[in-house]
Amino acid sequence: MAMFLAFRFFTSLPASSGALFSLFARSPFGRRRSPFLGSSVLQSLSSSSRFALAPSLARGLSGGKMEVEQVPVSYLTQKQATDIDQALMGPLGFSIDQLMELAGLSIACAIGEVYKVNDYSRVLVICGPGNNGGDGLVAVRHLCHFGYKPIVCYPKRTPKSLYTGLVSQLESLSVPFVSIEDLPFDFSSDFDLIIDAIFGFSFHGNPRPPFDDIIKRLISLQNLGGDESKKSPEIISVDIPSGWHVEEGFNGECIKPHMLISLTAPKLCAKKFCGSHHFLGGRFIPPSIADKYRIQVPPYHGTSMCVRIGKPPPVNISSLRENYISPEFIENQVSKDPMDQFQKWFDDAASFGLREPNAMALSTANKEGKPSSRIVLLKGVDDSGFVWFTNYESRKACDLSENPHASLLFHWNSMNRQVRIEGIVKKVSDEESEKYFHSRPRESQIGAIASKQSSILSERQEIQQTYKDLLQKYSDGSVIPKPECWGGYRLTPHLFEFWQGQQSRLHDRLQYSAKQVNGKQIWSIDRLAP
């Protein structure tokens, strides 16, 4: 499997299983996996292992094409992979089960990045007898918790407690285990995804029973050709497509997966990978190992356990769609006051762990009716309205000075919810602006002074130098004065729309409209067609 997070031992099999054992390298350390790199600060590999420049980080769309940054990527030889495993298993103190857990989680996360559970829930995971199979078993557990419906084929079980424990964990989740005899001969109609977790980077020679037959059946899926009556499942290989030589790649007929999940760093054979999705899994290689072996891979983003290597495949924008599944959102379950309903949904979004649930799209228009939108952060909400702060000389401020009508949009994608709010905007009091300004970090206060928002800069260095000069000016800890051109706005709402995504585009939309009745404002609730 991968030399990833788990340079776990591939233990010697008994003589009776020597046919299979001969497929794996023998060493005093066994077959293990190497951890991953979180750093992007690395040098190039030695001349024996050159890299390719792999387009990785998406920078935006231009003319329908994805622009990507060229990121150099290291490719490991078999010896380098083995040496890294041995180093990790030595004084660094990594345990096999710890690394295997991280490997399996990375595999599941990479799969979730590409294959959404609503469309690819039926997953067959084929596990070999060694560490690659163990990583596959861990991945199954995570996939199960992610909502997939995995089935496991594990024909040559390793009797060690680590592996039997993984099997017990999956059985407690009611994950089915099937024998080779019980597998359908034609995989095309029963599965959406097939995960190849059979052989890893220690593999050499030719596949032997029972895996030779399984590999042939996987190869046959690639030969369906133009038979549109059969939807071939996508094949995902862990670290090394089973049957490939770790350095030379493939010869003749072999598995050609749609997705390859490399672990630690891609092996040399990955240069021959021609599928749509190449991911690197895991991120825990310490700097000492990264520097010593000069490993270079794309940087991981945020808290992600995986990162794409290479350019993503072209996307047919018209085919992108999501079938939302949400609880019913009906009139007799909502608050009579929209501010109360907003607060309830906002609290849900905050407790759900969304990043910046207070981010909102603010849309304004000038006196000519030309609209503009941008994301700002909600900094206060009460019965009188919604508050944010900005520069009073920015474009949005100019629009609001000419036309005080504006709208806010909160989009909580992970919860299938949106809230749209329309109203009139006014500046908050100087006292309120002053109080909030001095509650901000000093660096943010200085940033507000340094930036003449929406004005044209000759280069980034211009504002950076202004910022540095102001940092020096206020380095004594003295009070930083709030700029006259900086302060808050409050939108007083007269209309709310609460939107919740539902299946078949039959979304729930409840609109609150403010009306005056006998001199008092009341809110009427109407259901809008989706």
Side-chain angles (χ1 to χ4, degrees), residues 18 81 126 130 226:
I126 306 170

Side-chain angles (χ1 to χ4, degrees), residues 14 16 28 31 36 56 66 72 76 81 92 100 108 115 119 147 170 216 234 239 330 364 397 405 426 448:
S16 59
R31 231 259 312 127
F36 295 85
S56 176
M66 183 70 75
L76 300 178
L92 293 176
M100 191 174 285
Y115 301 105
D119 300 317
L170 298 184
K216 287 178 182 177
E234 302 271 299
D239 206 39
I330 53 181
T364 58
H405 296 272
K426 294 182 179 179

Side-chain angles (χ1 to χ4, degrees), residues 288-328:
S288 60
I289 294 293
D291 292 341
K292 179 177 180 179
Y293 293 92
R294 297 180 179 178
I295 300 173
Q296 190 163 11
V297 295
Y300 292 90
H301 303 289
T303 58
S304 179
M305 291 294 293
C306 58
V307 61
R308 182 182 286 275
I309 294 176
K311 186 176 181 179
V315 175
N316 178 1
I317 295 177
S318 67
S319 69
L320 295 176
R321 57 181 51 87
E322 187 79 24
N323 194 26
Y324 302 106
I325 300 176
S326 308
E328 286 186 335

Side-chain angles (χ1 to χ4, degrees), residues 38-56:
S39 167
S40 61
V41 179
L42 307 167
Q43 316 268 338
S44 46
L45 262 185
S46 61
S47 58
S48 62
S49 301
R50 303 184 175 232
F51 338 121
L53 287 177
S56 176

Side-chain angles (χ1 to χ4, degrees), residues 260-287:
L260 175 63
I261 305 172
S262 292
L263 299 171
T264 300
K267 314 310 173 290
L268 279 175
C269 67
K271 290 186 175 184
K272 290 191 175 182
F273 173 69
C274 297
S276 300
H277 308 287
H278 187 188
F279 275 73
L280 179 65
R283 58 183 304 181
F284 65 92
I285 288 184

